[in-house]
Amino acid sequence: MSSSHHPAGGYKKLFETVEELSSPVTAHVTGRIPTWLRGSLLRCGPGLFEVGAEPFYHLFDGQALLHKFDFKEGHVTYHRRFVRTDAYVRAMTEKRIVITEFGTYAYPDPCKNIFSRYSGAVEVTDNALVNVYPVGEDYYACTETNFITKINPDTLETIKQVDLCKYVSVNGATAHPHIENDGTVYNIGNCFGKNFSLAYNIIRIPPLQADKEDPMNKSEVVVQFPCSDRFKPSYVHSFGLTSNYIVFVETPVKINLLKFLSSWSLWGANYMDCFESNETMGVWLHVAEKKKGRLLNIKYRTSAFNLFHHINTYEDNGFLIVDLCTWKGFEFVYNYLYLANLRANWDEVKRQAEKAPQPEARRYVLPLNIDKADTGKNLVTLPYTTATATLRSDETIWLEPEVIFSGPRHAFEFPQINYKKYCGKPYTYTYGLGLNHFVPDRLCKLNVKTKETWVWQEPDSYPSEPIFVSHPDALEEDDGVVLSIVISPGAGPKPAYLLILNAKDMSEVARAEVEVNIPVTFHGLFKRA
């Protein structure tokens, strides 16, 4: 992966406010859209980066904008609308930032007296800018708090805010639930466990039943993972799931809940101010049996990294294979994602990225059957991996990874696989967004067995997470297309387009150009028609 130069700084357009559209616009198609590709690409991201004169400071603060590309008989339309969250509606009404976001503190209303300001409880944001996912027949936009927002996937209208706390015991939930083929949803969030110490609950929302009752009403906690620190849960963004096991990776990036709860109303704190790193714990991996909801009493340990995205997890002959996009070390990567950093000139972007934790895609192998007689030995016997798991005399198992992708300051991130057929199963291919010093400038396909890569890249073009869509009659894992929203601000009147690549060799099949800029999007899904 070559180190591209971005002297023009076109990537700054990813962080510019745009207006929503009153109705869908027709995209200009070059190439040929496959006739079988019918449905909608739905994506979330920030679309409003300031309210009046007040700026948002962090990548995860801008107000949630929902995007949709519709595919119908070779034609493509593009639509977008702001999600009518409380955070957005109140900001629009009061013409100022009213609810504190991830890295931006909302100053109290000057019209209220000092006592009413301090007595108010923490107002948690519902800014649903991270992902969109189905529950039963409904679709929800989400961030990582306890609030998710029900949306209409056809019109992009906001239907209602939903508080997960009313259904199940979690303080929040990740934006990366696992959705099984029958519609069952699994997610993880931290909670108060026994004796008021913190823990992590895996929640399960069943598929829609014949009675058509909202599946949310039937949510339940499947298993509780303990926390390495009684008062400081780790930041969790995703987790691993196979047919029989749940894998939770506990990293050294911690949330200081006491700081979160006490100082919030007293001194301009935001979420970012409540993170701290535990410099000595390294990473703890926890495994539970999915069907029985039983924790495995095995202490897996490895050296420190940040983790946001699991690639895939599967079982093989008494081992769990856990493939991850890691960032080495205990310093929080989000410290580098302030908008001032990301909008800086290229030399400054590079300088900052060189100080940040370095990215690496890794494979960890977790043995499930432990014999004390094997103390001091590597327990991994699978022929195809160099990852090791060594049983130590204190009965911990020390893991060393196999590196499946590494490039200096080049991340393979926002990973996607052929999820419907290969989630939780042995697989060969993953698709990722290539971050060059945090600037997204390529799309990459990786063969996790041979480490071969295929890259799509064009000058001054900044893609988003690649979404794999399988051909309806696919016989092979990579038979289908990859969809990504690309911005190319330097190139004429059409600054953005939807790119369609052949998932086998990453060659271009078609693009659908629009005459409006499209800011950064994080995650989304393809909803088949």
Side-chain angles (χ1 to χ4, degrees), residues 134-290:
V135 176
E137 290 177 342
D138 301 322
Y139 283 80
Y140 292 89
C142 66
T143 176
E144 300 181 320
T145 67
N146 51 303
F147 294 118
I148 59 177
T149 305
K150 189 171 166 181
I151 54 116
N152 179 324
D154 301 320
T155 64
L156 305 188
E157 285 172 305
T158 302
I159 299 170
K160 65 172 181 180
Q161 182 199 74
V162 172
D163 182 355
L164 291 171
C165 293
K166 291 186 174 155
Y167 299 95
V168 71
S169 171
V170 283
N171 300 329
T174 77
H176 291 286
H178 279 286
I179 319 278
E180 300 197 305
N181 287 340
D182 69 353
T184 305
V185 178
Y186 283 88
N187 209 339
I188 186 169
N190 64 56
C191 66
F192 290 103
K194 296 186 183 90
N195 313 325
F196 273 104
S197 60
L198 281 150
Y200 311 89
N201 277 346
I202 294 281
I203 57 175
R204 177 180 175 272
I205 308 171
L208 194 66
Q209 309 291 318
D211 62 13
K212 293 285 184 191
E213 191 195 337
D214 183 353
M216 287 281 190
N217 293 326
K218 299 172 181 173
S219 312
E220 57 177 356
V221 173
V222 182
V223 66
Q224 187 168 93
F225 288 110
C227 182
S228 61
D229 183 318
R230 281 192 61 172
F231 301 113
K232 295 174 184 173
S234 290
Y235 176 68
V236 51
H237 192 83
S238 64
F239 63 104
L241 194 71
T242 70
S243 30
N244 297 301
Y245 296 96
I246 302 161
V247 178
F248 164 49
V249 179
E250 194 178 13
T251 73
V253 175
K254 294 286 182 180
I255 304 163
N256 185 329
L257 270 194
L258 294 175
K259 191 183 275 188
F260 183 86
L261 297 169
S262 64
S263 56
W264 194 268
S265 56
L266 296 174
W267 51 275
N270 56 50
Y271 295 80
M272 279 297 291
D273 296 323
C274 302
F275 286 104
E276 54 189 53
S277 290
N278 179 324
E279 301 184 8
T280 56
M281 75 170 272
V283 165
W284 297 17
L285 293 89
H286 307 268
V287 177
E289 290 179 38
K290 183 170 137 193

Side-chain angles (χ1 to χ4, degrees), residues 13 39 46 53 79 132 199-200 221 227 266 276-277 430 436 482 485 487:
K13 285 291 227 189
H79 193 28
V132 55
Y200 311 89
V221 173
C227 182
L266 296 174
E276 54 189 53
S277 290
T430 175
N436 174 3
V482 169
I485 297 175
I487 72 150

Side-chain angles (χ1 to χ4, degrees), residues 426-493:
Y427 74 118
T428 305
Y429 302 110
T430 175
Y431 301 88
L433 180 62
L435 303 179
N436 174 3
H437 299 75
F438 294 122
V439 171
D441 71 355
R442 70 200 69 193
L443 296 166
C444 185
K445 175 185 181 178
L446 170 66
N447 180 323
V448 296
K449 294 176 177 170
T450 65
K451 305 181 177 66
E452 184 181 2
T453 57
W454 296 257
V455 173
W456 175 92
Q457 187 171 28
E458 277 186 11
D460 296 319
S461 300
Y462 308 99
S464 67
E465 171 189 59
I467 299 281
F468 175 83
V469 185
S470 178
H471 189 289
D473 307 318
L475 296 173
E476 292 169 305
E477 181 181 343
D478 58 351
D479 191 357
V481 294
V482 169
L483 307 178
S484 177
I485 297 175
V486 183
I487 72 150
S488 52

